[in-house]
Amino acid sequence: MLTKGIDVRASRTHNVGLFATETIPAGTAVWAPCTKCSRWSKEEVAALPEARFTALDTYGHLLRDGSLLLPCLGAYLMNHSCEANVLDLGLDFGIAVRDIAPGEEVTCDYATFVEDAGWSMRCLCRGPGCRGTVTTDQGGDPAVTGRWKDRVEQALRQLPEVEQPLHDVLAPLSEPYGRALRGLNTLDQVSSGASACAPSFVR
């Protein structure tokens, strides 16, 4: 599920990507998995032809139990940036960690998808903090996660103050969202142990 004010356009990093068509304020829940997202069980994943699995694994999230989740409504087209403007550390939704201007690409950090262990890719974000190669192992690096934590917690403080177009989707599904909406704003207070690519509803 994807918030309003986002369109699919050509991207310089990976063919196409998601771009803001209006300002997306910091603290906005930008995307979240939902019950309408396509899912494949471990057995269904094992039966996929290799080319089909490769395509799905490129855009979807392979979970620790061997199942695969493909975010719906174009959310799977969100590209990586080492200076991502959307992060999901400790959350089961992605939150804008700064204001995203109209025309700006909406990006996340693929290293947060730690359930897909051993995954890596060459980064093309060209940002000042580009890590060159992105791996899910970086999701366990305190230097990386510490920076994510600071940015996410700043955004959580803004979450109750901004319009939340995904409220009707998140309110019944996401415990972290509900806690943040009540004014809790540290990851220790908000996080439920689920994540955006392994949300509690798929367990």
Side-chain angles (χ1 to χ4, degrees), residues 69-137:
L69 171 72
L70 183 68
C72 65
L73 296 183
Y76 66 89
L77 293 173
M78 192 179 302
N79 285 323
H80 164 84
S81 172
C82 294
E83 301 292 336
N85 48 35
V86 175
L87 290 171
D88 56 74
L89 178 69
L91 307 175
D92 53 11
F93 60 94
I95 189 170
V97 293
R98 60 171 175 79
D99 292 346
I100 304 173
E104 183 179 357
E105 186 165 7
V106 179
T107 58
C108 60
D109 193 323
Y110 287 3
T112 63
F113 302 149
V114 294
E115 280 78 9
D116 196 348
W119 180 90
S120 68
M121 73 166 203
R122 185 169 66 91
C123 182
L124 300 174
C125 78
R126 303 180 182 89
C130 181
R131 300 191 294 272
T133 299
V134 179
T135 74
T136 49
D137 291 341

Side-chain angles (χ1 to χ4, degrees), residues 1-2 31-41 44 56 59-61 63 68-76 92 169 173 196-197 199 201-202:
M1 189 65 67
L2 197 61
W31 81 279
C34 69
T35 53
K36 295 180 180 180
C37 292
S38 297
R39 292 167 53 197
W40 288 259
S41 69
E44 289 170 330
L56 288 173
Y59 293 104
H61 303 304
L63 308 184
L68 190 144
L69 171 72
L70 183 68
C72 65
L73 296 183
Y76 66 89
D92 53 11
V169 173
L173 290 178
C197 60
F201 76 79
V202 305

Side-chain angles (χ1 to χ4, degrees), residues 2-8 18-22 24 30 78 106:
L2 197 61
T3 193
K4 68 181 183 70
I6 294 178
D7 194 12
V8 178
L18 302 179
F19 289 78
T21 59
E22 59 189 65
I24 300 173
V30 172
M78 192 179 302
V106 179

